Amino acid sequence: MDTGLGKSRAEQTLFFEVIYGIDLIAWFVNYSMLTQVVPALSKYIAVFNILALFIYVVRGFNIDEKIFWIGVVLLVSVLISYYTSRDVVIVEIGVLLFISQSVNKEKILKEYIIIASSMIIIVFMLSQLGIIQDLLFVRNGITRHAFGTIQPTVLSAQLFSLSAAIACLRYKHITYPKIGILILLAVVCFRFLNARNDTMFILLIVLVLVVHKLRWKTNGKLKFFRYLSILSMPLLSLVVFLLGRNYTTSSRFLSSINNILSNRLRISNVAISRYPINWFGQQTIENGNGAGTQVATANYFYIDSSYLRLLIRYGFLLFLIIMILYVLAMVILMTKKKYVVMAILVIMSAQVMWEQSFLCAPNVLVFYLIMSGTDYSSLMREVNSASKRFVRFMEE
């Protein structure tokens, strides 16, 4: 659907970059101890994004008819989920996804890397200078630093997302010094944050980059896994739900997984038992023990899994839409032979199984969910071509 004013793609990308940059900075502030000196910005950012959406439409930016209704359905679902969950964060991400239509993905990645790395360094320096707190958390006798964020796992998720963005942007010409930087981030995750999951996933990104750099020839050996990767997010979300629903202390296997996941499996079981899954979500009462120097307490309850959070807090409808968009995005990436990006998205799909970092501004990978109308046109041509080949095969 062309609004008629025909604004250039460059202007449209610039508009998105400004909105996204403000959202991103606000997110880093909200999840840092800077909230001790500035007010929480979530509600203000939600209003800001709604105004940005209004300007986006009024200014006449091109809304491609091929993906217009996808964006509308997404926005309506997001607004309903906001009303039922009372969570303004989902409004922010919904608007960002809608106005990301046809923007230059490389520019988004560059902007994210610059802002994210700058904010991580600034927050870290402020915590070491004593201007804001460097919170300490104790788990199994191990002291974990938050380095100015509200929790060690928040910082580890930031480092993972930063690693993924660098890999998506630079994989074609990645150098060993840059790979060394990612390994250093993994060391920080393990040594100071005691974040074993994010350490492993950053190292998996490193492995993908090394394999790509060495030009390892698969000769079709991984073709099956490429097709399987298209369904990675729906399949992994199903695994999370089944493990959480069936968890019991009497199972040695599930208890072992629960210990590896730092009690997340048991809490997932509590979440599924406490809150029913419905179409439009609901408000959940949680205590994540963030923003305070403390030992993990008995009243801790937080839905860490992005998939369960999406299902329980935001509802099955929005969950279904996100899964469909993910599958479409993966198919489009496959048609473009962007296998490295696909592999990184699969790693991200596994990382958010027990992290709540998927639907938030710092996870720049969500902007692969809404592609341009050109991408979807190419996809439809591929589907039509495959359908014709199948019909000819059946006729023969």
Side-chain angles (χ1 to χ4, degrees):
M1 177 180 178
D2 193 331
T3 55
L5 298 182
K7 302 297 180 184
S8 69
R9 178 174 294 187
E11 185 180 350
Q12 193 163 333
T13 298
L14 178 61
F15 177 83
F16 177 83
E17 287 179 319
V18 172
I19 304 302
Y20 180 59
I22 294 172
D23 282 355
L24 194 56
I25 292 171
W27 188 92
F28 275 98
V29 170
N30 278 339
Y31 284 84
S32 74
M33 296 307 293
L34 286 169
T35 52
Q36 292 177 322
V37 294
V38 298
L41 301 175
S42 297
K43 293 181 180 179
Y44 302 106
I45 288 299
V47 174
F48 170 77
N49 278 29
I50 293 296
L51 290 175
L53 177 63
F54 177 76
I55 295 171
Y56 181 86
V57 175
V58 170
R59 284 293 302 270
F61 288 117
N62 291 328
I63 304 176
D64 199 304
E65 61 183 5
K66 301 177 186 66
I67 55 177
F68 173 72
W69 290 110
I70 296 175
V72 169
V73 171
L74 177 65
L75 271 179
V76 171
S77 302
V78 160
L79 291 175
I80 294 173
S81 294
Y82 157 67
Y83 177 78
T84 54
S85 68
R86 297 296 190 269
D87 188 346
V88 295
V89 173
I90 198 65
V91 175
E92 173 187 338
I93 200 67
V95 172
L96 284 173
L97 279 170
F98 184 83
I99 68 174
S100 71
Q101 297 176 36
S102 301
V103 301
N104 187 305
K105 295 295 187 293
E106 287 194 358
K107 285 189 174 182
I108 299 174
L109 288 168
K110 288 178 182 177
E111 179 185 20
Y112 171 77
I113 291 169
I114 292 171
I115 293 177
S117 57
S118 298
M119 290 301 297
I120 290 171
I121 292 171
I122 290 171
V123 170
F124 170 78
M125 293 300 296
L126 290 175
S127 71
Q128 298 309 295
L129 292 172
I131 297 174
I132 60 176
Q133 284 183 280
D134 175 11
L135 301 178
L136 302 178
F137 292 76
V138 181
R139 183 174 67 187
N140 298 327
I142 299 174
T143 300
R144 311 163 70 206
H145 288 262
F147 292 129
T149 62
I150 62 173
Q151 265 192 346
T153 50
V154 168
L155 179 54
S156 68
Q158 292 173 0
L159 295 180
F160 168 80
S161 292
L162 182 59
S163 301
I166 292 172
C168 285
L169 181 64
R170 299 297 184 190
Y171 74 91
K172 292 181 181 178
H173 308 288
I174 195 71
T175 62
Y176 284 114
K178 286 188 175 67
I179 292 176
I181 292 174
L182 300 189
I183 294 175
L184 179 61
L185 295 181
V187 171
V188 171
C189 279
F190 184 77
R191 175 65 180 82
F192 299 101
L193 309 179
N194 192 228
R196 295 161 297 183
N197 291 337
D198 286 323
T199 300
M200 177 183 68
F201 289 122
I202 292 174
L203 291 177
L204 282 176
I205 291 175
V206 169
L207 178 62
V208 168
L209 293 176
V210 170
V211 168
H212 175 73
K213 187 170 179 61
L214 294 176
R215 307 295 182 188
W216 181 47
K217 301 297 183 181
T218 62
N219 297 323
K221 296 176 183 177
L222 297 181
K223 191 172 183 180
F224 168 76
F225 293 100
R226 287 173 183 167
Y227 284 102
L228 184 63
S229 69
I230 293 173
L231 298 174
S232 61
M233 186 171 283
L235 291 175
L236 291 174
S237 64
L238 179 61
V239 169
V240 169
F241 179 78
L242 292 176
L243 286 175
R245 188 184 66 176
N246 295 312
Y247 170 75
T248 173
T249 54
S250 62
S251 170
R252 182 175 298 180
F253 172 69
L254 293 178
S255 294
S256 298
I257 295 178
N258 185 55
N259 290 333
I260 293 171
L261 296 173
S262 303
N263 212 33
R264 287 183 172 92
L265 196 55
R266 183 190 67 80
I267 294 173
S268 297
N269 178 264
V270 172
I272 293 171
S273 303
R274 185 177 297 177
Y275 296 103
I277 295 173
N278 54 49
W279 281 100
F280 304 111
Q282 62 213 293
Q283 189 173 9
T284 58
I285 309 301
E286 299 171 68
N287 171 31
N289 283 344
T293 304
Q294 56 194 290
V295 177
T297 54
N299 66 340
Y300 178 90
F301 174 73
Y302 194 83
I303 306 174
D304 285 291
S305 170
S306 289
Y307 299 132
L308 288 184
R309 177 165 289 271
L310 189 54
L311 267 172
I312 294 173
R313 193 174 180 89
Y314 303 127
F316 183 75
L317 178 60
L318 190 57
F319 171 85
L320 185 62
I321 292 171
I322 295 297
M323 292 300 120
I324 291 172
L325 289 178
Y326 178 84
V327 170
L328 289 175
M330 291 292 276
V331 173
I332 290 169
L333 289 169
M334 178 174 280
T335 61
K336 293 182 174 183
K337 298 183 178 180
K338 292 189 175 182
Y339 302 127
V340 174
V341 177
M342 288 181 67
I344 294 168
L345 283 173
V346 171
I347 294 171
M348 182 273 293
S349 299
Q351 188 259 352
V352 300
M353 288 175 72
W354 308 107
E355 299 281 354
Q356 57 89 32
S357 55
F358 177 43
L359 288 180
C360 62
N363 191 347
V364 74
L365 300 182
V366 298
F367 299 111
Y368 283 98
L369 296 185
I370 285 194
M371 298 279 189
S372 66
T374 303
D375 292 328
Y376 280 95
S377 295
S378 300
L379 176 61
M380 292 309 299
R381 284 196 296 271
E382 289 286 339
V383 171
N384 290 334
S385 177
S387 300
K388 290 177 182 178
R389 289 196 300 269
F390 178 75
V391 170
R392 286 197 298 269
F393 172 77
M394 294 300 293
E395 289 176 348
E396 293 173 1

